[in-house]
Amino acid sequence: MLTSLARRCIRAPRVVPIPQGRSLSASPATAAARAIVYSGNGNPSEVLSVLTFPDLPPPPTNTLNVQFLLSPINPADINVIEGVYPSKPKLNGNLTTSGLGSQQDPVFVGGNEGLARVSALGSGVEGLQEGDWVVMKTPQVGTWRTSANVKPGDVLKVPSADKLTPVQAATLVVNPPTAWNLLHDFVQLSEGDWVIQNGANSAVGQCVIQVAAAKGYKTINLVRNRSDLPILQQRLRELGATEVLTYDELAQDGIRDKIKSWTNGKDIKLGLNCVGGPDTTRMARFLGKDAHLVSYGAMSKAPLSLPTSLFIFKNLTSHGFWQSRWYADHSLEEQQSMLRTLTELMANGKLLAPDHEIASIRGSDSDEVASEHIRSMVEGITSGQYGKKVLLQFESDEA
């Protein structure tokens, strides 16, 4: 781990702040080759373990070796381990020659998103060089590890990487692109147009607020009531939210008149849903004629129920969106163009890195101790003990 990183110790695995700028682009001490793996689906706090494996050999033709720098732990990653997410990883039997991680006893490697540095190039690889920052675009590559051999088609080169922090780059391919595509793929919005969204304090919701503000769109943002609501409302407004409401307020008498006064009677063209259930049904009633409702999540785990009258009298169109499908359906040029746009917003301070903590896996710990640590951490994440996005980092033995 870099000696320039200031550290503060908490219950293992320790969490450290990360500095601004490309401090991770220097050549750090290389951590022993390790991965967070599981043999079958189940409770992540029970099935995850840390596995040490041999260092990677030189990359074969048309492949490259990468060293992971930071790898987020996203809610979808937990769902994948539980076996309830539609995107499925592939078993890996190439980590070791015998025992866990071998062809005889293959494992899944956790993680879908992550920032890596190109450490070696096989012959035939073009457009990349050693030291480049790359992010994973192929779903379920397995980013919770120190290093991997991947294909060029598995990665996207980070554009303008020298202008980004490691955290910005590590969280580049899921939440910001989702927000960008939600705002651009379904409705042609103009400056001053209105968008309403639920789950506004989620990672995607916060990106939606910032991208919309940068484009001149106005947003009505729905959140759950809570004890620190004024603080949350202020935080979202600082990001660029136009208005912030609770779901309870959305159900109150007179709220329709209030929203009309905000919009000057202008129809709300786009609704973004990551919650489902009655709250989304209520939100949809505030959409205008010919509006579009886009669902990209279902945090309440309740069905999406929409009144038939919205389709008949308002000509509502309802869509589903999945960022992984977008990558599969769009060309490399389109993907790189979107990332260039997003990195420009980041570089200009219009799209901030999420509030975060860095969780380090100690290089000095045995696999057994490190396994206990990762299980404890994931249990803490799923129980809400972490109020920020958590990103994994593997320490070297010398850290």
Side-chain angles (χ1 to χ4, degrees):
M1 183 179 176
L2 291 181
T3 57
S4 62
L5 288 179
R7 301 173 182 170
R8 59 182 177 86
C9 293
I10 65 167
R11 182 182 178 187
R14 70 178 153 195
V15 176
V16 299
I18 193 164
Q20 297 296 304
R22 286 200 63 181
S23 57
L24 285 178
S25 64
S27 296
T30 301
R34 305 180 95 176
I36 298 173
V37 303
Y38 57 105
S39 298
N41 296 124
N43 185 331
S45 64
E46 298 174 358
V47 301
L48 291 177
S49 62
V50 175
L51 172 69
T52 297
F53 59 92
D55 290 337
L56 296 176
T61 300
N62 293 322
T63 71
L64 60 149
N65 289 351
V66 298
Q67 177 189 357
F68 285 100
L69 305 178
L70 287 175
S71 300
I73 299 179
N74 293 315
D77 298 327
I78 304 299
N79 295 150
V80 169
I81 298 167
E82 293 169 334
V84 297
Y85 196 74
S87 183
K88 307 295 183 184
K90 294 181 180 179
L91 283 168
N92 188 323
N94 298 319
L95 293 177
T96 59
T97 56
S98 62
L100 193 65
S102 68
Q103 293 289 337
Q104 293 74 34
D105 194 4
V107 293
F108 301 105
V109 179
N112 178 61
E113 186 180 21
L115 168 66
R117 181 193 295 109
V118 176
S119 56
L121 295 168
S123 61
V125 177
E126 298 179 352
L128 292 169
Q129 59 184 6
E130 289 187 20
D132 281 346
W133 275 11
V134 294
V135 288
M136 304 299 110
K137 72 164 186 173
T138 299
Q140 308 307 326
V141 167
T143 59
W144 295 354
R145 52 178 152 178
T146 54
S147 54
N149 174 254
V150 297
K151 299 176 182 178
D154 292 329
V155 305
L156 289 170
K157 182 178 177 180
V158 177
S160 304
D162 58 326
K163 299 179 181 179
L164 301 184
T165 69
V167 174
Q168 285 176 317
T171 56
L172 180 61
V173 296
V174 177
N175 295 325
T178 299
W180 179 267
N181 291 320
L182 289 172
L183 289 169
H184 290 86
D185 287 9
F186 301 95
V187 182
Q188 186 172 351
L189 297 171
S190 302
E191 186 173 352
D193 282 343
W194 285 83
V195 177
I196 188 169
Q197 68 162 340
N198 55 32
N201 59 317
S202 68
V204 172
Q206 293 186 46
C207 289
V208 165
I209 289 170
Q210 295 174 82
V211 173
K215 301 284 289 186
Y217 311 149
K218 298 180 181 297
T219 55
I220 298 173
N221 301 277
L222 306 178
V223 298
R224 288 183 294 106
N225 205 351
R226 63 198 72 206
S227 59
D228 62 345
L229 179 63
I231 296 174
L232 175 60
Q233 289 174 318
Q234 179 61 27
R235 167 63 176 159
L236 296 183
R237 289 192 177 102
E238 288 173 354
L239 292 178
T242 312
E243 303 291 347
V244 183
L245 287 173
T246 67
Y247 301 114
D248 295 337
E249 290 175 314
L250 197 67
Q252 291 176 356
D253 293 338
I255 190 62
R256 184 171 295 276
D257 290 337
K258 179 181 285 189
I259 290 177
K260 281 187 176 181
S261 71
W262 291 340
T263 64
N264 283 326
K266 193 174 186 178
D267 279 347
I268 300 174
K269 293 185 174 183
L270 180 64
L272 305 178
N273 165 48
C274 66
V275 175
D279 288 327
T280 301
T281 305
R282 193 173 295 115
M283 181 185 78
R285 295 182 183 277
F286 291 88
L287 294 171
K289 186 174 180 293
D290 298 324
H292 293 251
L293 176 68
V294 187
S295 296
Y296 64 97
M299 290 191 296
S300 71
K301 298 183 180 179
L304 176 62
S305 178
L306 298 173
T308 305
S309 60
L310 295 183
F311 294 97
I312 295 175
F313 302 114
K314 287 191 174 181
N315 197 33
L316 175 69
T317 303
S318 180
H319 311 261
F321 179 78
W322 189 25
Q323 187 61 40
S324 294
R325 184 171 56 226
W326 188 94
Y327 282 119
D329 292 344
H330 289 75
S331 68
L332 177 61
E333 291 74 20
E334 290 172 307
Q335 296 168 21
Q336 289 284 10
S337 176
M338 178 186 62
L339 289 194
R340 284 194 295 270
T341 299
L342 292 171
T343 54
E344 183 177 348
L345 288 175
M346 292 176 179
N348 292 333
K350 296 181 178 180
L351 186 55
L352 305 178
D355 290 340
H356 60 275
E357 294 175 339
I358 308 299
S360 294
I361 305 299
R362 296 179 177 90
S364 59
D365 284 344
S366 66
D367 284 354
E368 290 76 13
V369 170
S371 295
E372 292 177 3
H373 292 171
I374 191 66
R375 292 170 190 154
S376 175
M377 182 187 65
V378 172
E379 184 177 11
I381 293 173
T382 55
S383 63
Q385 295 178 25
Y386 290 79
K388 302 176 181 180
K389 180 175 284 294
V390 177
L391 299 97
L392 283 171
Q393 184 181 57
F394 288 87
E395 292 184 355
S396 68
D397 291 334
E398 293 80 10

